[in-house]
Coordinates of all heavy atoms in Angstrom, one line a residue:
R226 N 22.7 14.9 -12.4 CA 23.6 14.0 -13.3 C 25.0 14.5 -13.1 O 25.9 13.6 -13.0 CB 23.2 14.1 -14.7 CG 21.8 13.5 -15.1 CD 21.6 13.5 -16.6 NE 22.5 12.6 -17.3 CZ 22.2 11.3 -17.5 NH1 21.1 10.8 -17.1 NH2 23.1 10.6 -18.2
L231 N 27.6 11.8 -14.4 CA 27.0 11.1 -15.5 C 27.0 12.0 -16.8 O 26.8 13.2 -16.7 CB 25.5 10.8 -15.1 CG 25.3 10.0 -13.9 CD1 23.9 9.9 -13.5 CD2 25.9 8.6 -14.1
E232 N 27.2 11.3 -17.9 CA 27.2 12.0 -19.2 C 26.1 11.5 -20.1 O 25.0 12.0 -20.0 CB 28.6 11.9 -19.8 CG 29.7 12.5 -19.0 CD 31.1 12.4 -19.7 OE1 31.1 11.8 -20.8 OE2 32.0 13.0 -19.1
K233 N 26.4 10.4 -20.8 CA 25.3 9.8 -21.7 C 24.8 8.5 -21.2 O 24.1 7.8 -21.9 CB 25.9 9.7 -23.1 CG 26.3 11.0 -23.7 CD 26.8 10.8 -25.1 CE 27.1 12.1 -25.8 NZ 27.6 11.9 -27.2
E234 N 25.1 8.2 -19.9 CA 24.6 6.9 -19.4 C 23.1 6.8 -19.3 O 22.4 7.8 -19.0 CB 25.2 6.7 -18.0 CG 26.7 6.4 -17.9 CD 27.4 7.7 -17.7 OE1 26.9 8.8 -18.0 OE2 28.6 7.6 -17.4
K235 N 22.6 5.6 -19.6 CA 21.2 5.3 -19.3 C 21.0 5.0 -17.9 O 21.8 4.3 -17.3 CB 20.7 4.2 -20.2 CG 20.7 4.4 -21.7 CD 19.6 5.4 -22.1 CE 19.5 5.6 -23.6 NZ 18.4 6.5 -24.0
I236 N 19.9 5.5 -17.3 CA 19.7 5.3 -15.8 C 18.4 4.4 -15.6 O 17.4 4.7 -16.1 CB 19.5 6.6 -15.1 CG1 20.6 7.6 -15.4 CG2 19.3 6.4 -13.6 CD1 22.0 7.1 -14.9
I237 N 18.7 3.4 -14.8 CA 17.6 2.5 -14.4 C 17.4 2.7 -12.9 O 18.4 2.6 -12.1 CB 17.9 1.0 -14.7 CG1 17.9 0.8 -16.2 CG2 16.8 0.1 -14.1 CD1 18.3 -0.6 -16.6
F238 N 16.2 3.0 -12.4 CA 15.9 3.4 -11.0 C 15.0 2.3 -10.4 O 14.1 1.8 -11.0 CB 15.2 4.7 -11.0 CG 15.1 5.3 -9.6 CD1 16.1 5.2 -8.7 CD2 14.0 6.1 -9.2 CE1 16.0 5.8 -7.4 CE2 13.9 6.6 -8.0 CZ 14.9 6.5 -7.1
L264 N 24.0 -6.3 -17.6 CA 24.2 -5.0 -18.3 C 25.5 -4.3 -17.9 O 25.7 -3.1 -18.1 CB 23.0 -4.1 -18.1 CG 21.7 -4.6 -18.6 CD1 20.6 -3.5 -18.3 CD2 21.7 -4.9 -20.1
E267 N 27.7 -2.4 -20.4 CA 27.1 -1.4 -21.2 C 27.0 0.0 -20.5 O 27.2 0.0 -19.3 CB 25.7 -1.9 -21.6 CG 25.8 -3.3 -22.3 CD 24.5 -3.7 -22.9 OE1 23.6 -2.9 -23.3 OE2 24.3 -5.0 -23.0
N268 N 26.6 1.0 -21.2 CA 26.6 2.3 -20.7 C 25.3 2.6 -19.9 O 24.5 3.4 -20.2 CB 26.7 3.3 -21.8 CG 27.2 4.7 -21.3 OD1 27.9 4.8 -20.3 ND2 26.8 5.7 -22.0
V269 N 25.1 1.7 -18.8 CA 23.9 1.8 -18.0 C 24.3 1.8 -16.5 O 25.1 1.1 -16.1 CB 23.0 0.5 -18.3 CG1 21.8 0.5 -17.3 CG2 22.6 0.5 -19.7
K270 N 23.6 2.7 -15.7 CA 23.8 2.8 -14.3 C 22.5 2.4 -13.6 O 21.4 2.9 -14.0 CB 24.2 4.2 -13.9 CG 25.7 4.4 -14.1 CD 26.5 3.9 -12.9 CE 28.0 4.4 -13.1 NZ 28.8 3.8 -12.0
F271 N 22.5 1.7 -12.5 CA 21.4 1.4 -11.7 C 21.5 2.2 -10.4 O 22.5 2.2 -9.7 CB 21.4 -0.1 -11.3 CG 21.0 -1.0 -12.5 CD1 21.9 -1.3 -13.5 CD2 19.8 -1.7 -12.5 CE1 21.6 -2.1 -14.5 CE2 19.5 -2.5 -13.6 CZ 20.4 -2.8 -14.6
F272 N 20.4 2.9 -10.1 CA 20.3 3.6 -8.8 C 19.2 3.0 -8.0 O 18.1 2.7 -8.5 CB 19.9 5.1 -9.1 CG 21.1 5.9 -9.5 CD1 21.6 5.8 -10.8 CD2 21.7 6.8 -8.6 CE1 22.7 6.6 -11.2 CE2 22.8 7.5 -9.0 CZ 23.3 7.4 -10.3
N286 N 28.1 -1.2 -11.3 CA 27.2 -0.3 -12.0 C 25.9 0.0 -11.2 O 24.9 0.5 -11.7 CB 26.8 -0.8 -13.4 CG 26.1 -2.2 -13.4 OD1 26.2 -2.9 -12.4 ND2 25.5 -2.6 -14.5
V287 N 25.9 -0.4 -9.9 CA 24.8 -0.2 -9.0 C 25.2 0.8 -8.0 O 26.2 0.7 -7.3 CB 24.4 -1.5 -8.3 CG1 23.3 -1.2 -7.3 CG2 23.9 -2.5 -9.3
V288 N 24.4 1.9 -7.8 CA 24.6 2.9 -6.8 C 23.5 2.8 -5.8 O 22.3 2.9 -6.1 CB 24.5 4.3 -7.5 CG1 24.7 5.4 -6.4 CG2 25.6 4.5 -8.5
M305 N 15.3 11.7 -13.4 CA 16.6 11.5 -14.0 C 16.6 10.2 -14.8 O 17.3 10.0 -15.8 CB 17.7 11.5 -13.0 CG 19.1 11.3 -13.6 SD 20.4 11.5 -12.4 CE 20.1 10.0 -11.4
A306 N 15.8 9.2 -14.3 CA 15.9 7.8 -14.8 C 15.3 7.7 -16.2 O 14.4 8.5 -16.6 CB 15.2 6.9 -13.9
D307 N 15.8 6.8 -17.0 CA 15.2 6.4 -18.3 C 14.1 5.4 -18.1 O 13.2 5.3 -18.9 CB 16.3 5.9 -19.2 CG 17.3 7.0 -19.5 OD1 17.0 7.9 -20.3 OD2 18.4 7.0 -18.9
V308 N 14.3 4.5 -17.1 CA 13.3 3.5 -16.8 C 13.3 3.2 -15.3 O 14.3 3.3 -14.6 CB 13.7 2.1 -17.5 CG1 12.9 1.0 -16.9 CG2 13.6 2.2 -19.0
T309 N 12.1 3.0 -14.7 CA 11.9 2.6 -13.4 C 11.6 1.1 -13.4 O 10.8 0.6 -14.2 CB 10.8 3.3 -12.6 OG1 11.2 4.7 -12.5 CG2 10.6 2.7 -11.2
P331 N 9.0 5.9 -17.8 CA 8.2 4.7 -18.0 C 8.7 3.6 -17.1 O 9.7 3.7 -16.4 CB 8.5 4.3 -19.5 CG 9.9 5.0 -19.7 CD 9.9 6.2 -18.9
V364 N 13.6 -4.3 -20.8 CA 14.4 -3.1 -20.4 C 15.1 -2.5 -21.6 O 15.1 -1.3 -21.9 CB 15.4 -3.4 -19.3 CG1 16.4 -2.3 -19.1 CG2 14.6 -3.6 -18.0
R365 N 15.7 -3.4 -22.4 CA 16.4 -3.0 -23.6 C 15.5 -2.3 -24.6 O 15.8 -1.3 -25.2 CB 17.1 -4.2 -24.3 CG 18.3 -4.7 -23.5 CD 19.0 -5.9 -24.2 NE 20.1 -6.4 -23.5 CZ 21.3 -5.9 -23.5 NH1 21.6 -4.8 -24.2 NH2 22.3 -6.5 -22.8
Q366 N 14.3 -2.9 -24.7 CA 13.3 -2.4 -25.6 C 12.8 -1.0 -25.2 O 12.7 -0.1 -26.0 CB 12.0 -3.3 -25.6 CG 10.9 -2.9 -26.5 CD 9.7 -3.8 -26.5 OE1 9.8 -5.0 -26.1 NE2 8.5 -3.3 -26.9
M367 N 12.6 -0.8 -23.9 CA 12.2 0.5 -23.4 C 13.3 1.6 -23.5 O 13.1 2.7 -23.8 CB 11.7 0.4 -21.9 CG 11.1 1.6 -21.4 SD 9.5 2.1 -22.3 CE 8.4 1.0 -21.5
L368 N 14.5 1.2 -23.2 CA 15.7 2.1 -23.3 C 15.9 2.5 -24.8 O 16.4 3.6 -25.0 CB 16.9 1.4 -22.8 CG 17.0 1.2 -21.3 CD1 18.3 0.5 -20.9 CD2 16.9 2.5 -20.5
A369 N 15.5 1.7 -25.7 CA 15.7 2.1 -27.1 C 14.6 3.0 -27.7 O 14.7 3.5 -28.8 CB 15.7 0.8 -28.0
K370 N 13.5 3.1 -26.9 CA 12.4 4.0 -27.4 C 12.7 5.4 -27.3 O 13.5 5.9 -26.5 CB 11.1 3.7 -26.5 CG 10.4 2.4 -26.9 CD 9.1 2.4 -26.1 CE 8.2 1.2 -26.5 NZ 6.9 1.2 -25.8
N371 N 12.0 6.2 -28.1 CA 12.1 7.7 -28.1 C 11.0 8.1 -27.1 O 9.9 8.3 -27.6 CB 12.0 8.3 -29.5 CG 12.2 9.8 -29.4 OD1 12.7 10.3 -28.5 ND2 11.7 10.4 -30.5
I372 N 11.3 8.3 -25.9 CA 10.3 8.6 -24.9 C 10.0 10.1 -24.8 O 10.9 10.9 -24.7 CB 10.8 8.1 -23.5 CG1 11.0 6.6 -23.5 CG2 9.8 8.5 -22.4 CD1 9.8 5.8 -23.8
K374 N 8.8 12.4 -22.2 CA 8.6 12.4 -20.8 C 7.5 13.4 -20.5 O 6.7 13.2 -19.5 CB 9.8 12.8 -20.1 CG 10.9 11.7 -20.0 CD 11.8 11.8 -18.8 CE 12.5 10.6 -18.5 NZ 13.1 10.6 -17.1

Side-chain angles (χ1 to χ4, degrees):
R226 291 186 70 91
L231 301 172
E232 296 181 359
K233 296 182 179 180
E234 291 89 344
K235 294 289 186 179
I236 305 299
I237 296 175
F238 190 39
L264 301 179
E267 303 188 30
N268 201 27
V269 176
K270 281 277 190 183
F271 288 74
F272 283 76
N286 59 343
V287 175
V288 179
M305 181 177 71
D307 296 281
V308 169
T309 293
V364 166
R365 291 182 181 278
Q366 180 181 339
M367 189 61 80
L368 289 176
K370 282 188 174 183
N371 184 18
I372 299 296
K374 287 205 164 199

